[in-house]
């Protein structure tokens, strides 16, 4: 076969597909290079090797041994192409020999796509970088312009201020001699006025002394019995109220209750016009006449004054039923409503009030019996409510509290009180926390089931809490305090009492986490010691500190707070029954706490006269309680150095005598409350100086002073005319004569305690009761068919606070 030009093209395609030109070239190169003795056998072995090799790569030197392979190609490619006429079949060869596979096509497409993306991305990146650079230059230009404007304005302002300063200095230099002359004239006038006041004070004191002795002589005589009706009567037919200015008459009628106002309105036409003034009916308090407050009264008030009634108090009005309460919803401007201690509330009543009084902000339903339907209505209609009290309500369950979370109302609550609601479990607390995220004040007192998980819910969802009270919650541990310290950094008030699981570790973590605490009330926590108070060493804003009955606290623990940043800002300190606190703490208090106004150191064996003498120099101190402390006359005498004292209690101080009381009272002319109960060495001599010096006394406790007689009561009634609360119980030497002195001398007396006074009969007690004085006595009244008087409490063994109450209820709360 000389040439392949004349053969069928399909045959040529077959030869190319079977790679016969390549096989021919490889065999030919192998024969020419190896030169075997038996060419046929060599060709057979080569073809056999090509046929059996699965991955055999056929090249021009494939059949040449590796050691004999030439460096260059033996036959040129053009020879093979001419021999087999391959140039005419280039197209066919490309189709059969160089056709790409699907994988190669996919890779080629992907490469092309990547190349396009890269090209477009580079183009976009270049455009974006130019834009960023342009924006950066614009910002820089704006900043330079702003800096230039500020410098210009500062320069102008400085020039204006400098000109003003020069003018002011010039005016001050001109005014200095004029001011000096005026000051000299004012100082001269003040000196004259001071001399006149001193003379007037001495004159009045001498006049009062003269009147006191005259009154004392009259009290010892029987002439006082004939002078009981010595009161000048107003001339008949004259109306002085109508002649007063409108503001003054309005103020007078504001002190009357609702029924008294209605009675005054039928006196004359002028009084009726004054009584019907709208400012007198914006606040209506029916608690003062709760025995006479009926449905008819409530309905008439709601109809007549509904347009301007803003504050309605129905506390303890048990005769008011749900029938009349529905009419309260007609008062569209009502903002404060108190329904506490009413027997029963229904869902219809709450719905009617909530639908009508859309601006209601304050609602108190504590002590009422109701079911979950009432809570459902609260969550549905009371959208703007901010203050809600559910204390002592036992009828609802956790299912009712579910509406707190799901309803559209109650989400703006600012204050919530659920004290004594022991049916609330952990699930109910979760609903409250989820539904009231804006809570600021939360009262959780006397809840036995309150645990750490409940506190965790409140710290998680109510992050705005500032005031938290958890009195008598025995299930809480240090974990709850750690939750509070971690999640409530802005807490200002914390109250804990009667918990034996809280230790110093929890209190220390609380002090470190809540750096904005203002009121700290940790009472009767036996395991809280000095190490716990170390956490408050860096607290800056602490004002009220109450650590009563924490027996492990000593002087070292108080030192951490007193010598810290809060020492100079403390207002109240109460360490009652902290037996380890003594004179060392008093020394630091007198040195650091110059703003303290209230101090209780009851029943501390380490407080003596040396420490009390330091307190006499604290001019800011107003209230001091040293009950049960070993304080004597020297300590009391030093208290007279502070004339600003208002309340002093030295109950059960066995070493106090008449000498100490005389020295103290001679300088405390503004004393209002004084407690010397169970001071066995006090006699009538001390009461004589007390009544003569402290004429502003309002409360006096003389219980258990067995050496006192009727003369002491005569001194008090002759000198202290402002006495409203008096305790003379457990004084066996008192007789009916003492009550006669009180009836004539203390016309403002409101409460009197004469228990365990066997020589006092019921006849003078009845006269005092007729004078609207509440008397507590121990006389058997069963035979006389009289009911005993309610008990009287003049002193509180554990007062929570005086000037800065532990329960900061809003001003509109009752």
């Amino acid at each position: 076969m000389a040439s392949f030009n004349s053969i069928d093209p399909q045959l040529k395609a077959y030869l190319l597909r079977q790679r016969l030109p390549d096989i021919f070239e490889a065999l030919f190169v192998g024969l020419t290079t190896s030169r075997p003795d038996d060419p046929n056998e060599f060709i057979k072995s080569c073809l056999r090797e090509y046929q059996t090799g699965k991955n055999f790569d056929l090249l021009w030197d494939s059949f040449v041994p590796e050691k004999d392979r030439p460096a260059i190609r033996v036959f040129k490619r053009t020879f093979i192409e001419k021999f087999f006429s391959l140039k005419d079949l280039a197209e066919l060869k490309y189709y059969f020999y160089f056709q790409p596979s699907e994988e190669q096509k996919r890779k080629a497409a992907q490469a092309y796509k990547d190349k396009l993306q890269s090209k477009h991305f580079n183009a976009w990146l270049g455009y974006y970088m130019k834009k960023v650079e342009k924006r950066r230059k614009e910002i820089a230009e704006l900043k330079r312009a702003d800096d230039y404007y500020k410098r210009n304005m500062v320069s102008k302002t400085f020039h204006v201020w400098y000109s003003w300063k020069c003018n002011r200095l010039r005016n001050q230099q001109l005014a200095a001699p004029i001011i000096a002359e005026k000051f000299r004239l004012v100082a001269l006038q003040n000196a004259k006025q001071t001399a006149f006041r001193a003379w007037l004070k001495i004159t009045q004191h001498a006049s009062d002394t003269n009147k006191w002795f005259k009154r004392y002589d009259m009290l010892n005589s029987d002439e006082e019995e004939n002078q009981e009706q010595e009161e000048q009567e107003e001339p008949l037919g004259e109306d002085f109220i109508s002649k007063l200015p409108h503001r003054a008459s309005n103020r007078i009628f504001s002190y009357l209750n609702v029924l008294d106002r209605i009675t005054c309105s039928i006196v004359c036409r002028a009084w009726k016009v004054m009584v019907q003034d709208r400012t007198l009916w914006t606040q209506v308090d029916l608690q003062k006449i709760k025995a006479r407050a009926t449905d008819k009264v409530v309905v008439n008030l709601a109809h007549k004054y509904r347009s301007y009634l803003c504050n309605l108090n129905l506390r303890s009005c048990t005769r008011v039923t749900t029938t009349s309460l529905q009419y309260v919803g007609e008062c569209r401007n009502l903002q404060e409503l108190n329904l506490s201690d009413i027997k029963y509330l229904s869902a219809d009543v709450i719905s009617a009030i909530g639908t009508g009084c859309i601006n209601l902000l304050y609602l108190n339903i504590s002590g009422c019996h109701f079911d979950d339907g009432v809570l459902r209505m609260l969550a549905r209609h009371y959208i703007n409510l901010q203050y809600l009290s559910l204390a002592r309500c036992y009828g609802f369950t956790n299912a009712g509290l579910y509406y707190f979370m799901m309803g559209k109302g109650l989400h703006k609550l600012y204050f919530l009180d659920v004290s004594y609601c022991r049916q609330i479990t952990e699930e109910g607390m979760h609903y409250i926390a989820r539904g009231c995220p804006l809570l600021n004040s939360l009262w959780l007192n006397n809840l036995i089931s309150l645990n750490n998980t409940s506190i965790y819910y409140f710290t998680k969802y109510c992050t705005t809490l500032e005031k938290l009270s958890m009195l008598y919650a025995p299930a809480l541990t240090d974990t709850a305090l750690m939750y509070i310290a971690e999640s409530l950094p802005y807490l200002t008030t914390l109250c804990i009492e009667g918990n034996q699981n809280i230790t110093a570790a929890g209190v220390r973590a609380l002090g470190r986490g809540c750096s904005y605490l203002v009121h700290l009330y940790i009472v009767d926590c036996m395991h809280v010691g000095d190490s716990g108070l170390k956490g408050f060493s860096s607290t800056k804003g602490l004002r009220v500190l109450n650590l009563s009955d924490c027996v492990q606290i000593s002087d070292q623990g108080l030192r951490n707070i007193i010598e810290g940043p809060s020492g100079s800002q403390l207002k109240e300190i109460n360490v009652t029954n902290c037996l380890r606190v003594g004179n060392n703490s008093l020394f630091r208090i007198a040195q650091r706490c110059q703003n303290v106004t209230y101090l209780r150191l009851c029943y501390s064996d380490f407080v003596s006269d040396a420490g009390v003498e330091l307190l006499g120099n604290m001019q800011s101190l107003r209230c001091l309680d040293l009950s049960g402390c070993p304080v004597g006359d020297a300590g009391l005498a030093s208290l007279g150095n502070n004339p600003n004292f208002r309340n002093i209690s030295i109950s059960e101080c066995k070493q106090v005598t008449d000498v100490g009381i005389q020295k103290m009272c001679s300088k405390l002319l503004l004393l209002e409350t004084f407690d010397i109960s169970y001071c066995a060495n006090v006699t009538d001599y001390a009461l004589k100086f007390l009544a003569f010096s402290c004429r502003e006394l309002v409360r006096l406790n003389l219980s258990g002073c067995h050496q006192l007689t009727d003369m002491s009561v005569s001194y008090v009634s002759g000198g202290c005319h402002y006495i409203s609360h008096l305790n003379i119980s457990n004084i066996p030497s008192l007789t009916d004569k003492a009550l006669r002195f009180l009836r004539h001398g203390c016309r403002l007396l409101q409460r009197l305690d004469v228990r365990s006074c066997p020589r006092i009969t019921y006849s003078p007690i009845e006269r005092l009761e007729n004078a609207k004085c509440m008397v507590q006595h121990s006389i058997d009244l069963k035979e006389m068919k009289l009911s005993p008087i309610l008990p009287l409490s003049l002193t509180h063994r554990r007062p929570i606070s005086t000037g800065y109450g532990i329960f900061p209820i809003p001003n509109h709360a009752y």
Side-chain angles (χ1 to χ4, degrees):
M1 180 171 42
S3 176
F4 286 89
N5 294 330
S6 61
I7 65 174
D8 190 12
Q10 293 184 358
L11 180 59
K12 286 186 179 183
Y14 171 77
L15 295 177
L16 291 175
R17 188 166 52 251
Q18 297 298 330
R19 301 187 66 180
L20 289 180
D22 295 336
I23 295 174
F24 173 77
E25 182 181 7
L27 290 173
F28 197 74
V29 171
L31 288 173
T32 56
T33 304
S34 301
R35 300 174 185 176
D37 297 333
D38 189 356
N40 295 330
E41 188 64 28
F42 177 77
I43 292 172
K44 290 180 182 180
S45 63
C46 290
L47 293 176
R48 195 180 299 113
E49 181 182 358
Y50 173 71
Q51 186 178 6
T52 57
K54 294 182 179 180
N55 297 324
F56 189 81
D57 189 10
L58 183 61
L59 300 176
W60 64 273
D61 57 352
S62 297
F63 298 138
V64 179
E66 186 175 358
K67 61 180 181 177
D68 297 332
R69 287 180 181 176
I72 59 175
R73 200 162 187 162
V74 178
F75 298 102
K76 294 183 179 179
R77 189 63 183 174
T78 55
F79 170 76
I80 300 298
E81 291 176 354
K82 284 182 179 182
F83 183 78
F84 287 97
S85 301
L86 296 180
K87 289 185 179 180
D88 299 335
L89 298 177
E91 230 178 61
L92 192 62
K93 179 181 178 182
Y94 176 81
Y95 176 79
F96 289 105
Y97 202 67
F98 297 101
Q99 185 68 17
S101 62
E102 294 296 330
E103 180 67 19
Q104 291 175 338
K105 291 180 181 180
R106 187 184 64 78
K107 289 183 179 181
Q110 184 65 30
Y112 180 71
K113 181 180 178 181
D114 294 342
K115 185 176 180 180
L116 287 179
Q117 287 181 351
S118 176
K119 180 179 179 181
H120 287 84
F121 176 77
N122 292 334
W124 172 84
L125 182 61
Y127 167 76
Y128 179 75
M129 293 304 295
K130 291 180 180 179
K131 189 174 181 180
V132 169
E133 182 65 20
K134 182 179 179 181
R135 180 59 180 169
R136 186 184 64 78
K137 292 180 179 179
E138 291 178 355
I139 293 174
E141 291 294 334
L142 289 175
K143 184 177 180 181
R144 284 195 295 271
D146 186 56
D147 293 341
Y148 174 76
Y149 175 76
K150 288 181 179 179
R151 287 195 300 269
N152 192 15
M153 292 302 296
V154 168
S155 177
K156 292 181 179 179
T157 305
F158 175 77
H159 288 302
V160 173
W161 171 82
Y162 184 75
S163 61
W164 172 84
K165 179 183 176 182
C166 294
N167 293 333
R168 183 174 179 82
L169 290 176
R170 185 166 55 255
N171 294 335
Q172 288 179 352
Q173 292 175 359
L174 296 175
I178 300 175
I179 295 174
E181 181 64 21
K182 293 291 184 182
F183 180 78
R184 187 184 66 80
L185 296 177
V186 171
L188 182 61
Q189 185 68 20
N190 289 339
K192 293 179 181 179
Q193 291 180 359
T194 302
F196 177 76
R197 290 195 189 99
W199 171 82
L200 183 61
K201 185 176 180 181
I202 294 173
T203 304
Q204 290 178 350
H205 185 70
S207 177
D208 292 342
T209 303
N210 190 17
K211 290 180 181 180
W212 185 85
F213 281 108
K214 288 181 179 180
R215 191 172 184 83
Y216 173 70
D217 295 337
M218 293 176 64
L219 289 174
N220 289 332
S221 64
D222 293 332
E223 297 178 358
E224 193 70 10
E225 293 291 341
N226 300 326
Q227 299 179 1
E228 294 183 0
Q229 305 296 332
E230 291 182 359
E231 296 182 359
Q232 297 181 357
E233 299 181 354
E234 297 287 345
L236 298 176
E238 295 187 17
D239 182 11
F240 295 100
I241 301 297
S242 301
K243 296 179 182 180
L244 294 174
H246 174 72
R247 186 175 179 181
S249 60
N250 195 357
R251 184 67 177 271
I252 293 173
F253 284 115
S254 65
Y255 290 104
L256 303 179
N257 57 46
V258 175
L259 295 181
D260 291 340
R261 293 178 193 174
I262 297 175
T263 304
C264 292
S265 65
I266 62 177
V267 172
C268 62
R269 185 176 298 176
W271 281 29
K272 183 177 181 180
V273 173
M274 289 186 291
V275 168
Q276 289 182 350
D277 187 82
R278 61 178 299 175
T279 58
L280 293 175
W281 298 97
T282 56
Q283 296 184 1
V284 176
D285 186 3
L286 296 181
Q287 182 185 2
K288 299 178 181 179
I289 56 169
K290 57 185 178 182
R292 303 173 63 184
T294 60
D295 291 341
K296 183 178 180 180
V297 175
V298 176
V299 171
N300 291 336
L301 286 173
H303 278 299
K304 192 171 184 179
Y305 305 106
R306 61 180 180 271
S307 60
Y308 39 82
L309 184 60
C310 298
N311 190 325
L312 179 60
N313 183 11
L314 298 175
R315 183 176 185 178
S316 302
C317 297
T318 55
R319 300 181 63 184
V320 177
T321 62
T322 56
T323 304
S324 60
L325 290 178
Q326 291 184 354
Y327 291 93
V328 178
E330 298 179 2
C331 304
R332 302 295 181 181
N333 296 321
L334 191 66
Q335 296 182 2
E336 302 175 10
L337 179 61
N338 192 337
L339 301 176
S340 58
D341 297 325
I342 292 181
K343 292 182 180 179
Y344 178 74
L345 288 178
S346 63
D348 296 336
V349 171
I350 298 299
S351 177
I353 296 175
T355 305
C357 307
I358 58 176
N359 297 321
L360 193 65
L361 301 178
Y362 169 89
L363 180 62
N364 188 346
I365 54 176
S366 59
C368 300
H369 179 72
F370 53 84
D371 54 7
D372 295 336
V374 171
L375 297 184
R376 184 173 68 253
M377 294 297 105
L378 288 175
R380 179 180 298 177
H381 300 293
Y382 292 75
I383 299 177
N384 297 318
L385 194 65
Q386 296 182 3
Y387 180 100
L388 178 62
S389 178
L390 302 176
R392 298 178 287 109
C393 298
Y394 309 107
F396 65 89
T397 62
N398 292 333
L401 296 176
Y402 177 75
Y403 298 106
F404 277 60
M405 181 176 62
M406 302 304 298
K408 64 180 181 179
L410 301 181
H411 296 315
K412 296 181 181 180
L413 273 183
Y414 185 84
F415 178 95
L416 179 62
D417 186 1
V418 291
S419 302
Y420 295 93
C421 298
R422 300 183 178 180
Q423 74 275 15
I424 302 178
T425 62
E426 180 181 314
E427 182 182 5
M429 295 296 179
H430 181 226
Y431 294 152
I432 295 175
R434 290 286 301 274
C436 306
L438 301 180
L439 275 178
N440 180 270
S441 302
L442 180 62
W443 281 186
L444 302 173
N445 302 329
N446 288 274
L447 297 180
I448 300 178
S449 60
L450 186 66
N451 55 21
N452 298 334
T453 307
S454 301
I455 300 300
Y456 170 74
Y457 290 145
F458 286 111
T459 57
K460 180 179 179 182
Y461 299 108
C462 305
T463 56
T464 59
L465 269 178
E466 294 183 5
K467 300 173 184 178
L468 180 61
S469 177
M470 303 178 293
L471 306 183
Y472 300 104
L476 297 180
T477 63
D478 292 340
T479 305
L481 297 186
M482 292 180 181
Y483 289 151
I484 295 173
E486 292 175 359
S487 303
L488 302 177
Y490 297 103
L491 192 70
T492 59
T493 301
L494 179 64
C495 307
I496 302 173
E497 182 173 357
N499 192 306
Q500 308 306 325
N501 296 325
I502 293 177
T503 63
V507 176
R508 184 168 57 251
L510 179 69
R512 292 174 179 174
C514 303
S515 58
Y516 293 93
L517 270 177
V518 176
H519 189 125
L520 181 62
Y521 181 90
I522 301 179
V523 176
D524 195 16
C525 297
M526 307 296 290
H527 300 291
V528 176
D530 296 339
S531 59
L533 300 183
K534 289 183 179 179
F536 299 94
S537 59
S538 59
T539 304
K540 298 180 180 180
L542 201 60
R543 299 291 189 277
V544 181
L545 179 64
N546 193 337
L547 302 173
S548 303
D549 298 325
C550 296
V551 295
Q552 294 189 17
I553 293 178
S554 63
D555 295 333
Q556 185 62 31
L558 284 180
R559 179 180 180 180
N560 296 323
I561 298 179
I562 295 174
E563 294 188 352
S566 298
S568 59
Q569 302 184 26
L570 281 173
K571 298 289 186 181
E572 297 185 16
I573 301 176
N574 189 347
V575 287
T576 300
N577 287 329
C578 294
L579 307 179
R580 301 181 182 180
V581 176
N583 292 336
N584 292 333
S585 294
L586 295 184
F587 173 76
R588 295 188 180 93
I589 291 173
Q591 186 179 17
R592 294 274 302 169
C593 306
Q594 296 300 324
N595 294 321
V596 170
T597 59
Y598 177 85
L599 180 61
R600 280 180 62 88
L601 300 165
C602 304
Y603 307 104
S604 178
D605 297 335
F606 297 99
V607 175
S608 61
D609 292 340
V612 176
E613 288 177 358
L614 300 173
L615 301 178
N617 298 323
M618 297 181 63
Q619 300 300 316
S620 62
L621 199 59
R622 298 293 185 272
C623 304
L624 179 63
D625 193 347
L626 298 173
S627 301
C629 296
V631 179
D633 295 337
L636 291 186
S638 63
L639 294 180
N641 297 329
N642 181 9
N644 298 320
F645 272 117
R646 297 296 184 270
N647 302 330
I648 292 180
S649 176
I650 52 174
S651 176
E652 301 181 29
C653 293
K654 307 300 183 181
Q655 302 179 16
V656 173
T657 62
D658 296 343
V659 178
I661 294 178
Q662 176 188 356
K663 293 181 179 180
M664 181 187 69
C665 295
S666 61
K667 299 180 181 180
L668 302 181
L669 304 181
L670 301 178
L671 195 64
E672 297 177 357
T673 302
F674 192 39
D675 185 359
I676 54 173
S677 57
Y678 297 98
C679 293
N681 298 326
V682 176
T683 64
D684 296 340
Y685 182 78
L687 267 294
K688 179 179 179 180
F689 282 94
L690 175 65
F692 185 75
S693 302
C694 305
R695 296 177 179 270
E696 305 294 332
L697 274 177
V698 177
R699 295 172 179 263
L700 181 61
N701 191 349
L702 305 175
S703 177
C705 298
H706 299 291
Q707 297 189 33
L708 299 182
T709 63
D710 293 338
M711 293 298 296
S712 299
V713 181
S714 68
Y715 294 143
V716 173
S717 60
C720 304
H721 302 299
Y722 300 104
I723 286 285
S724 61
H725 295 71
L726 179 62
N727 189 342
I728 52 175
S729 62
N730 199 17
I731 303 179
S733 59
L734 295 182
T735 62
D736 294 344
K737 188 177 180 181
L739 299 190
R740 182 166 62 87
F741 290 148
L742 293 175
R743 182 162 54 90
H744 296 304
C746 301
R747 299 298 179 88
L748 301 179
L749 190 63
Q750 299 177 3
R751 295 188 178 184
L752 177 65
D753 189 352
V754 292
R755 290 177 300 173
S756 301
C757 296
R759 301 179 64 182
I760 294 179
T761 62
Y762 186 72
S763 178
I765 293 176
E766 187 177 9
R767 292 184 180 180
L768 284 173
E769 290 176 346
N770 294 334
K772 298 183 179 180
C773 177
M774 184 181 294
V775 183
Q776 182 181 1
H777 55 83
S778 56
I779 300 176
D780 190 4
L781 302 177
K782 292 183 180 180
E783 297 179 358
M784 304 176 65
K785 298 182 180 181
L786 295 174
S787 60
I789 307 296
L790 294 175
L792 169 68
S793 60
L794 290 181
T795 59
H796 305 277
R797 287 300 176 188
R798 188 184 295 168
I800 293 178
S801 185
T802 54
Y804 304 84
I806 173 179
F807 298 117
I809 296 178
N811 296 330
H812 53 261
Y814 300 103

